[in-house]
Amino acid sequence: MTVTRAYWRGLGGHWRAWSALLACSLLEALPAFLSGRLVQRAVDDGFAVGRLGVGLAWLAGFAVAAVVGAFGARLVWQRLGVVIEPLRDSLVRLVVGGVLHDPAPPRGGPDAAGVARITQHVEVIRDATAGLLVQARGLVVTVVGALAGVTAMAGELAWLVAVPVVAALAVFVALLPTLARRQRALALADEHTAGTVGGVLTGMRDVVACGARDVAAGEVRAAVRAQAGAAVRMATAAASRTLVIAVGAFLPLVLVLLSAPAAVSHGSLTAGAVLGTLVYLTGTLTPALHSLAATASTVVLRLLVALRRLDEVHPPPPTVGTEKPAHGVITVRALTHRWGEHAEPVLRDLDLDLAPGDHLAVVGPSGIGKSTLAGILTGTLLPTSGEVRLGGVPVTDIDPAHRHRLIAFTPQESYIFAGTVRENLSLLAPTADDRHLQAAADAVGAANLIHRLGGLSALLDHAGAGLSAGERQLLALTRVYASPATIVVLDEATANLDPPTEAQAEHAFATRDGILIVIAHRLTSAIRAPQVLLMDGRETHLGDHPTLLATSPAYAALMHAWAPLANTQRHPHDRELSTGADRPLPRADLRR
């Protein structure tokens, strides 16, 4: 479902609220329809003939109509949330779902553009829809009521009012395409700035380490300048629109003032009718047209552009699987993936078989595609070609709830939610008791941390504020260990732990039932694993540690460089690191 269709469906699903708004609008329109007529009667039947009481009575009726209109406007505001808030919630769910199921998510950091779509475009739609329900709806009933009142009271002046107003509206409509294009350009510039700034801030350490501060600052400045230019162009178009509406609102007043004296002298109009017409113009039509100018720039255009932009970037709805495989055997065949149509594949024709009890370490240079492989194996990323099967079923055909119980995944950036330690650890195992959670913490080496925090009932702040990166990783590892998942994927999830703690955690997962896949941060993870997958850009090598040492110069070179540190930081569960020979090993450049 497109965002636009979801928007209209969300609006149409509240017919009771719409009925209430219509009734309130009729009350709100009462002063617009009666104002000029009541002033005309106050003058002609009261003040002009010396009947002060009658004139004041008609003005009192005007005051009553104004009070009724204000009461109708108050009811409109009260009923507004019944339509707007459910609409916003449905759009947020739709957009967040699109971000999560994006087949080509951003690499190496958060989706800043996706966040901008949620925090900016959805809020624009919410605010714009509320503005339309308040301003544009009020504008329509006000203008219609005022024109009807002028026609009924002073028909010969109606054309002097209607022609300039219709002409101004026609020119205004002709300007809308230009306004829409410039508003869209401004929205795209907002997204580009958010993405650029988000990327620089996320990689700030790399920017500083590489001495690329000037380059990064230049990119941010360029994005901000482009955004400012788009805003200026939008403001220029908005100013021309405002001028057209101002002329259309002022010209009827001038025409009526020029023609009224002759009509009164000939007896075709009364002074009260002229004054009533001026009341319609100055008190209703002119403010309504100025409101139209503001509404079109800040409401209608922004709404249309935001809906179009969300439709452009919203991916097609994912196919929801229904299969529930009985076991968790992983079968990978001819798996290939590339980031872009003409990009070199990060995975090329990979075949892989993993059964319960298998422990695989994936090693290779940073950025070579290890996390990409983890995403494909867990079903969160679709490959360019090839397939991944779990229990003989394509991973995309598995019921999502069943897949979430079957697979547990944790990345390097472990997230901690605001709440108790217990709530965080039981996130993937809601029915787990305290004994089960404590056993999981003992297994991965987090028992001391939990004791220091104050036990399972201790409160944690949003995102684990006050905890170190390693402490957050320990809690995330405990969460995964406590889950019922039979397939566990650790994507550098121990990168911030000291080597002994990392070894304890990996040993705990390796001796747990199921399949363990470790995206290795340290090469000691490869030494501990019975199977190792080396990703080397153009090809992959699969085997155990001794075999790869003997057959892969690239793997041997990596191990040769790591050997001194690995042997000094071994854990009792580690195997002895051996290069297989005392001779120097060949070096391999893995930065391709």
Side-chain angles (χ1 to χ4, degrees), residues 181-202:
R181 286 194 300 271
R182 295 188 178 181
Q183 184 67 51
R184 180 174 182 273
L186 180 57
L188 292 176
D190 288 343
E191 280 191 25
H192 178 66
T193 300
T196 301
V197 174
V200 170
L201 293 179
T202 302

Side-chain angles (χ1 to χ4, degrees), residues 23-32 68-70 72-73 76 133-134 137-138 141-142:
C24 297
S25 298
L26 294 177
L27 288 178
E28 187 182 7
L30 195 62
V68 172
V76 167
L133 291 179
V134 174
R137 174 206 48 79
V141 298
T142 298

Side-chain angles (χ1 to χ4, degrees), residues 25 91 99 153 155 158 214 250 282 319 331 362 365 391 412 449 498 524:
S25 298
L91 291 179
V99 171
M153 184 185 62
D214 292 340
F250 183 70
T282 59
T319 302
T331 305
V362 182
Q412 179 177 351
L449 169 62
D498 58 83
T524 45

